[in-house]
Amino acid sequence: MKKFTLIYLFLYFCATTSAEKTEVRFISQTPKEASEVPLLFERHQIEYHTLSHTNWKKKFPYTPLAQFAIAYTPDALLIAYKATEKGFIVQYTKDQDPVFLDACMEFFVQPENDSIYYNFECNCLGYLLMQAGTTLRPRHQAPEHILNSIKRWTSIEKKQPAYAEEATSWEVALIIPYTCFYKHSINSLGGKTVRANVYKCGGKGQYEHYVSWSPIHTPRPNFHTPAFFGSMTFIVP
């Protein structure tokens, strides 16, 4: 019991002292298409954050370039991803497939002060694995109409399985309506501070990787770790 308590206290200390923080800016109008998000971010000078924490580095040292930017509107979250990676792999072409095995970026968010968090896992083709729950298992898969409400854009034109050893760059943008938080009733995020993390994973062999925006201090790969989420404050204009 004493050993367990010490481990818990150590993990809690790591989580509270190293977690990342950022402010999320407001954009007054939701774009009609996700393809507009990158240019909208450029126009509004929305900052891109680099995923600089290489978790479980001893076993998985590879660190691709991965960045994200986020803003909010009266009725949606806007997210843009950029990545450049070797060992680029994509094989899944349906929503709710295990896209985390592909070239993938993920947004995990706990929008209220309860234990429920949502995972939006998106491969480079724009296909999503989306779930909600309080722990890794069990999780509740998002209904089809929720998935269909998320608008996506990808820079990759040929949406087909592929693998490449050479460095490959890609971008994805998402428009996530607040109604996607289907286990809550959320009309706005303005003024709130929520707990969240952003991840990049995928690859195989020497290129397998698990990098994040806010660091994770667990013995083995696990992104379902709300204790290590960072914080995002949604600034009221």
Side-chain angles (χ1 to χ4, degrees):
M1 179 63 72
K2 186 176 180 181
K3 182 179 179 181
F4 175 81
T5 301
L6 289 173
I7 292 172
Y8 176 82
L9 289 173
F10 172 74
L11 293 176
Y12 178 79
F13 174 79
C14 291
T16 54
T17 58
S18 62
E20 297 285 354
K21 299 178 181 179
T22 192
E23 294 181 344
V24 181
R25 289 173 50 197
F26 178 75
I27 294 176
S28 62
Q29 189 171 0
T30 304
K32 291 183 178 180
E33 301 296 336
S35 58
E36 301 173 41
V37 171
L39 287 176
L40 188 66
F41 281 4
E42 182 178 347
R43 186 160 68 246
H44 286 269
Q45 297 182 326
I46 302 298
E47 177 185 4
Y48 277 81
H49 305 273
T50 298
L51 277 59
S52 58
H53 296 283
T54 306
N55 303 290
W56 313 288
K57 191 171 185 177
K58 187 174 182 179
K59 188 173 182 180
F60 305 103
Y62 176 63
T63 306
L65 175 63
Q67 297 177 303
F68 78 97
I70 184 170
Y72 77 107
T73 74
D75 53 17
L77 278 174
L78 311 180
I79 299 177
Y81 297 129
K82 295 180 179 180
T84 300
E85 57 185 309
K86 294 182 179 180
F88 171 87
I89 186 170
V90 56
Q91 53 192 325
Y92 292 105
T93 56
K94 292 188 299 183
D95 282 345
Q96 303 296 36
D97 275 350
V99 296
F100 52 85
L101 298 173
D102 284 346
C104 180
M105 290 190 71
E106 307 178 354
F107 176 59
F108 283 42
V109 60
Q110 190 174 332
E112 295 286 8
N113 292 323
D114 56 21
S115 56
I116 297 173
Y117 65 94
Y118 299 81
N119 52 297
F120 300 85
E121 306 183 22
C122 185
N123 72 4
C124 57
L125 301 184
Y127 294 102
L128 283 165
L129 169 63
M130 182 189 168
Q131 301 166 324
T134 61
T135 59
L136 172 59
R137 296 183 182 88
R139 294 195 66 70
H140 179 266
Q141 286 203 340
E144 185 176 1
H145 74 277
I146 294 292
L147 281 161
N148 291 341
S149 71
I150 301 173
K151 294 183 177 180
R152 312 105 184 257
W153 167 81
T154 172
S155 63
I156 297 178
E157 295 182 0
K158 294 183 178 180
K159 295 189 175 184
Q160 60 188 23
Y163 179 79
E165 286 282 349
E166 66 273 12
T168 303
S169 297
W170 56 272
E171 296 182 43
V172 164
L174 305 174
I175 301 175
I176 302 175
Y178 297 143
T179 51
C180 288
F181 300 118
Y182 60 94
K183 289 188 174 290
H184 297 91
S185 180
I186 293 176
N187 298 316
S188 174
L189 291 173
K192 290 188 176 185
T193 295
V194 306
R195 303 186 68 245
N197 211 344
V198 182
Y199 312 114
K200 170 76 186 73
C201 59
K204 62 181 182 180
Q206 65 178 316
Y207 298 120
E208 185 176 354
H209 57 275
Y210 302 92
V211 300
S212 63
W213 170 59
S214 199
I216 303 169
H217 304 282
T218 59
R220 59 185 62 86
N222 182 9
F223 286 161
H224 290 262
T225 51
F228 298 104
F229 286 1
S231 62
M232 297 183 175
T233 300
F234 291 76
I235 302 301
V236 176

